[in-house]
Amino acid sequence: MTRSATAVSSATMTRRFFQTLGPLAALLSVILLFAVLDHFWGGGQFATLRNARTVTIQSCTVAMAALGMTLIIIAGGIDLSCGTAIALAATVLAWGLREDIGCLLQYGDNYSSAVKRLHEAERRLNHPDAKDPESLLVQKTRRRERLIQIVEAKLARLAPTDDTHQLLSKNLLQLEPPRELGSFRALDAVPNEPSTIWWSLAAGLFTGVACGFVNGALISFLRVVPFIVTLGTMTIYLGIGNWLSNNVPVRPSLKYQIPPWLQGVLSNRGEDFIFGFPLGVWLAALAGIVLAIVLRYTVFGRYIFALGSNEQTARLCGINVSANKIAVYTLSGLLLGLAGVLQFSRLSSGNPMSGQGLELQIIAAVVIGGGSLSGGRGSILGTLAGAGIMAVIVSGGTQLGMSNALQHIILGVVIISAVTIDQLRQRMGG
């Protein structure tokens, strides 16, 4: 090998090394900087395992969604709807738990709606101007029978020796007079149908997948730039979430409707830790490993890079551009659904408004991690490092007493610097 060829090979290896590990080195530098500043001017709590765990937990939702955004940006796209899609997935999950979706699917009603329907049937039957009383009586009888089914199902999940079980069993046949319905309000404190949690989780994940699929399909078939399409779907998903929640956060019963293990998915309580971190952190790490393998060792991964490098060339090479775009956005949607589950675990509620502005953090994590908005470049490790950098800046700034305004300014400078470095790198590569 000639000396010039050796020099070129060495330069290429050095460039690849910095592209791969540069964001990680930047993360370690930021951690070291804030550790030193906190040691001299802070409370000395930054460089502790407890704070490291807290920072990781706080960045987990953004990191999970940013993994999917990495695929999209590498493929030359963008998704501005990711924040509201996460909030919508969390809202659907919360709604499923609150409304006891397993009971809805089994009986066509849940306990609360069955009580209301029976009250309404009783009111209409007793109204002085009631028409066709026989039909109303039949309707009332059917609703009463359905409510009794739901009550009996709930009673079956109580211990036979439970005082509530004995009281409700005794009064079960007294369901006829409307005034007796009030005594059954105690059933609100009985856990949901066992299948409700799995239906709710499936609904939340499916919501994320559906949002991603819709984005990919619209971009592929309408041939409209991703920025415009996802700007529109961002407000659509927000509107759907507000319609489902009736413009208020959906709050299932923390004690009776949210399983303890779901509350602990992204909890900072010691009893919820697995090898020092909650389950959500390990899920994000596992997702990152899987996606890194997909990008590195699969044909689909090479197609993603080809789309972002030159879409026209990829099409001429026989790559089905539309199908692969839809696949990329749909896979990203699955990760958005998982991010929605993580968000719900932290908040224990579903708020459609909680996703506004989240898309900026997600995109910033990819850009800070070395992803190019021009497409064709990005890495999973870099994205995780970018999410970590943002979380470290927020945590370190808070412990140093920085105002939120100053923290936002610092984050803005970091983002601009990352984009500038990317542009310089492209020019030097050219």
Side-chain angles (χ1 to χ4, degrees), residues 156-300:
R157 295 196 295 278
L158 288 173
T161 57
D162 190 282
D163 292 338
T164 305
H165 183 284
Q166 295 178 2
L167 174 63
L168 296 175
S169 297
K170 180 180 179 181
N171 293 335
L172 182 59
L173 297 179
Q174 301 176 3
L175 202 60
E176 183 72 25
R179 62 180 179 275
E180 294 295 339
L181 293 173
S183 65
F184 287 88
R185 286 297 181 185
L187 285 171
D188 286 333
V190 179
N192 289 335
E193 284 282 334
S195 62
T196 288
I197 177 59
W198 307 113
W199 282 113
S200 300
L201 286 171
L205 293 177
F206 176 79
T207 299
V209 171
C211 290
F213 175 80
V214 168
N215 287 340
L218 291 175
I219 291 168
S220 298
F221 296 124
L222 296 181
R223 298 185 181 275
V224 179
V225 293
F227 182 91
I228 300 300
V229 170
T230 57
L231 182 63
T233 56
M234 175 176 68
T235 59
I236 291 174
Y237 300 153
L238 176 62
I240 295 173
N242 284 326
W243 169 78
L244 181 65
S245 66
N246 199 23
N247 295 306
V248 294
V250 180
R251 303 183 187 278
S253 171
L254 190 64
K255 185 175 181 181
Y256 300 110
Q257 294 185 312
I258 306 177
W261 67 264
L262 182 57
Q263 299 177 38
V265 168
L266 211 58
S267 167
N268 208 2
R269 299 189 302 265
E271 61 267 23
D272 297 318
F273 293 162
I274 302 174
F275 299 112
F277 292 91
L279 177 62
V281 173
W282 296 114
L283 287 176
L286 178 61
I289 293 172
V290 171
L291 289 181
I293 293 173
V294 168
L295 287 176
R296 177 70 176 173
Y297 297 107
T298 67
V299 174
F300 177 60

Side-chain angles (χ1 to χ4, degrees), residues 62-392:
V62 170
M64 181 69 82
L67 292 175
M69 185 64 72
T70 303
L71 303 181
I72 292 175
I73 287 180
I74 291 175
I78 198 74
D79 183 5
L80 299 181
S81 69
C82 56
T84 55
I86 291 173
L88 178 58
T91 301
V92 169
L93 170 57
W95 180 89
L97 292 173
R98 189 190 67 181
E99 298 299 320
D100 197 358
I101 191 173
C103 188
L104 280 173
L105 293 173
Q106 186 172 354
Y107 301 106
D109 264 321
N110 58 23
Y111 175 72
S112 299
S113 63
V115 169
K116 292 177 182 178
R117 289 175 185 275
L118 185 56
H119 269 300
E120 177 64 19
E122 181 71 25
R123 186 190 65 79
R124 293 174 61 189
L125 182 61
N126 294 332
H127 195 277
D129 299 328
K131 298 179 180 180
D132 196 2
E134 292 184 2
S135 176
L136 292 175
L137 181 60
V138 171
Q139 187 181 73
K140 176 193 170 183
T141 303
R142 289 177 178 172
R143 292 181 177 179
R144 178 178 180 274
E145 291 174 351
R146 180 177 296 174
L147 178 56
I148 289 177
Q149 282 183 315
I150 296 173
V151 170
E152 288 177 336
K154 280 184 170 286
L155 287 175
R157 295 196 295 278
L158 288 173
T161 57
D162 190 282
D163 292 338
T164 305
H165 183 284
Q166 295 178 2
L167 174 63
L168 296 175
S169 297
K170 180 180 179 181
N171 293 335
L172 182 59
L173 297 179
Q174 301 176 3
L175 202 60
E176 183 72 25
R179 62 180 179 275
E180 294 295 339
L181 293 173
S183 65
F184 287 88
R185 286 297 181 185
L187 285 171
D188 286 333
V190 179
N192 289 335
E193 284 282 334
S195 62
T196 288
I197 177 59
W198 307 113
W199 282 113
S200 300
L201 286 171
L205 293 177
F206 176 79
T207 299
V209 171
C211 290
F213 175 80
V214 168
N215 287 340
L218 291 175
I219 291 168
S220 298
F221 296 124
L222 296 181
R223 298 185 181 275
V224 179
V225 293
F227 182 91
I228 300 300
V229 170
T230 57
L231 182 63
T233 56
M234 175 176 68
T235 59
I236 291 174
Y237 300 153
L238 176 62
I240 295 173
N242 284 326
W243 169 78
L244 181 65
S245 66
N246 199 23
N247 295 306
V248 294
V250 180
R251 303 183 187 278
S253 171
L254 190 64
K255 185 175 181 181
Y256 300 110
Q257 294 185 312
I258 306 177
W261 67 264
L262 182 57
Q263 299 177 38
V265 168
L266 211 58
S267 167
N268 208 2
R269 299 189 302 265
E271 61 267 23
D272 297 318
F273 293 162
I274 302 174
F275 299 112
F277 292 91
L279 177 62
V281 173
W282 296 114
L283 287 176
L286 178 61
I289 293 172
V290 171
L291 289 181
I293 293 173
V294 168
L295 287 176
R296 177 70 176 173
Y297 297 107
T298 67
V299 174
F300 177 60
R302 290 194 286 272
Y303 283 175
I304 293 175
F305 281 99
L307 290 176
S309 298
N310 193 314
E311 184 176 315
Q312 295 301 325
T313 301
R315 181 176 283 107
L316 292 174
C317 291
I319 297 176
N320 190 329
V321 172
S322 297
N324 281 278
K325 278 187 178 180
I326 293 174
V328 167
Y329 278 91
T330 302
L331 180 55
S332 175
L334 175 60
L335 294 167
L336 293 180
L338 288 170
V341 174
L342 297 180
Q343 186 185 74
F344 174 81
S345 178
R346 286 196 64 197
L347 303 178
S348 296
S349 65
N351 184 358
M353 307 298 292
S354 63
Q356 290 187 307
L358 197 59
E359 67 279 352
L360 301 180
Q361 299 179 43
I362 295 169
I363 295 172
V366 181
V367 172
I368 293 173
S372 174
L373 291 176
S374 301
R377 186 169 64 251
S379 71
I380 298 301
L381 180 61
T383 293
L384 295 177
I389 288 173
M390 293 194 299
V392 166

